[in-house]
Amino acid sequence: MSAAPELFTDMQSDRKGFQLLSDYLRNAAGISMPLNEKNLCLMASRLGKVMRNHNLDSYAELYKRMQMGDMKVRDEFIMALTTNTTHFFRESIHFDTLTRYLPSLCQLNPKDNEFRLWCAASSTGQEPYTLAMTCHNYFEYQPQMNCKILATDIDLKVLSTAAHGCYQHNEVANIDSATLKKYFHRVHSVKGDRYQVNTNISDLVRFSRLNLLDPQFPFKKKFHVIFCRNVFIYFEKDTVAQIISKMADVLYPGGLLFLGHAESGIMRSPVFKNVEHAVYRRV
């Protein structure tokens, strides 16, 4: 097999192979990666480990393996090219907004004693656990309501990290001391202290794999709230419209859809009304 530097050079200059994999990524995960020098370098740097792990010498070989149905290679390919930037209380104003709307959201179906929230891009867990902390602060005084949070992602590796719920000190540094004390406990190890999510919030969250490009979402009950933030910036407009339409189908009328602050301009659906920045009500 080629030495690593030579392989990287070959990959970075392989425009035909890049286009094959870019098209595959769009069809498999909805992520748009146009052909340019920046993305040529990005794909080469992120796929190098996948190529070496499976003794592959070219993008064409990688594409062939995936076309033949090798799901392990396919999963590693998608995971390598999925961006998972996140932190606790990211775009924090949205959690204040959720808190203000919780009383009215709970009344959307008065006969239902479950409050259901879907975090549609859980990454390594910081967002769904932030949602759990936000909801717990409200529902601990509303014992008649059960809060359930579904956290999904296409990336199995980040889902595993999220379900474990253990974070380094720098990952919880922006959480105020009272919240940290209430919802985490310190775990000592030879590699340094880490912070484990307490069961009072981890019990509220269930992690599961889901591809937003699936033809239909497999949910039996509707949600009161959907968080899908900083995901659509990687998708093409038609793909975004299709996903938002499917989200409307699984959201209660009157329910809220939260997008990322940089994504507010992509909403074109007539069934959603803008109520605050990047927050939309299902009408």
Side-chain angles (χ1 to χ4, degrees):
M1 171 154 186
S2 306
E6 296 174 1
L7 176 61
F8 177 83
T9 301
D10 291 344
M11 291 162 63
Q12 191 175 3
S13 61
D14 185 1
R15 291 173 174 261
K16 183 178 179 181
F18 175 94
Q19 197 60 60
L20 273 177
L21 296 182
S22 176
D23 291 343
Y24 188 94
L25 182 65
R26 182 185 300 108
N27 292 330
I31 297 172
S32 177
M33 184 175 268
L35 176 60
N36 56 48
E37 294 302 322
K38 177 183 176 181
N39 284 338
L40 280 166
C41 182
L42 178 65
M43 182 177 284
S45 62
R46 291 196 175 185
L47 290 183
K49 184 176 180 180
V50 178
M51 303 282 282
R52 291 191 297 273
N53 285 348
H54 297 279
N55 198 32
L56 300 171
D57 281 309
S58 69
Y59 283 158
E61 289 185 13
L62 174 59
Y63 178 77
K64 183 178 180 180
R65 286 281 292 274
M66 294 190 294
Q67 285 291 89
M68 292 173 62
D70 190 324
M71 298 305 293
K72 180 174 175 58
V73 172
R74 177 184 181 276
D75 288 346
E76 290 183 23
F77 165 77
I78 292 174
M79 286 188 283
L81 295 177
T82 302
T83 302
N84 290 297
T85 301
T86 186
H87 55 78
F88 287 102
F89 293 95
R90 185 183 186 187
E91 298 178 352
S92 61
I93 192 172
H94 274 171
F95 302 101
D96 297 331
T97 300
L98 175 61
T99 298
R100 284 190 286 105
Y101 277 96
L102 278 174
S104 59
L105 289 166
C106 289
Q107 297 303 313
L108 293 180
N109 187 352
K111 296 181 180 180
D112 190 350
N113 69 344
E114 282 187 356
F115 180 85
R116 290 181 293 277
L117 191 154
W118 175 24
C119 178
S122 68
S123 187
T124 46
Q126 285 90 331
E127 179 164 287
Y129 287 133
T130 301
L131 289 167
M133 288 184 275
T134 302
C135 290
H136 186 276
N137 282 332
Y138 177 78
F139 288 109
E140 65 179 329
Y141 302 108
Q142 305 289 332
Q144 71 276 16
M145 291 291 289
N146 296 316
C147 178
K148 293 187 176 182
I149 298 171
L150 174 65
T152 65
D153 204 284
I154 195 174
D155 188 330
L156 287 172
K157 184 176 180 180
V158 298
L159 283 172
S160 177
T161 299
H164 189 53
C166 197
Y167 299 94
Q168 297 178 9
H169 181 268
N170 65 299
E171 293 177 299
V172 300
N174 66 322
I175 302 177
D176 67 82
S177 58
T179 300
L180 191 64
K181 183 178 180 180
K182 183 176 181 179
Y183 293 121
F184 293 81
H185 61 274
R186 188 177 296 184
V187 178
H188 302 287
S189 73
V190 293
K191 295 183 178 180
D193 289 355
R194 294 171 69 86
Y195 292 82
Q196 178 71 51
V197 171
N198 289 341
T199 56
N200 57 357
I201 63 167
S202 63
D203 286 349
L204 302 181
V205 187
R206 179 171 67 88
F207 292 96
S208 181
R209 190 183 194 190
L210 185 140
N211 188 340
L212 293 175
L213 295 189
D214 289 347
Q216 291 182 321
F217 296 144
F219 308 131
K220 296 179 180 179
K221 296 181 179 180
K222 292 184 182 294
F223 295 95
H224 297 77
V225 175
I226 298 174
F227 265 63
C228 187
R229 305 190 308 164
N230 306 302
V231 177
F232 291 144
I233 53 176
Y234 303 106
F235 290 175
E236 295 178 342
K237 290 182 179 179
D238 289 347
T239 303
V240 171
Q242 292 168 12
I243 296 172
I244 287 178
S245 177
K246 290 185 293 183
M247 287 182 168
D249 291 339
V250 299
L251 189 64
Y252 275 130
L256 296 182
L257 170 62
F258 289 75
L259 303 182
H261 284 178
E263 299 173 313
S264 58
I266 68 174
M267 176 59 77
R268 295 289 185 268
S269 172
V271 302
F272 282 100
K273 179 182 179 181
N274 183 217
V275 293
E276 297 195 24
H277 183 60
V279 183
Y280 301 86
R281 177 182 285 117
R282 168 77 162 91
V283 298

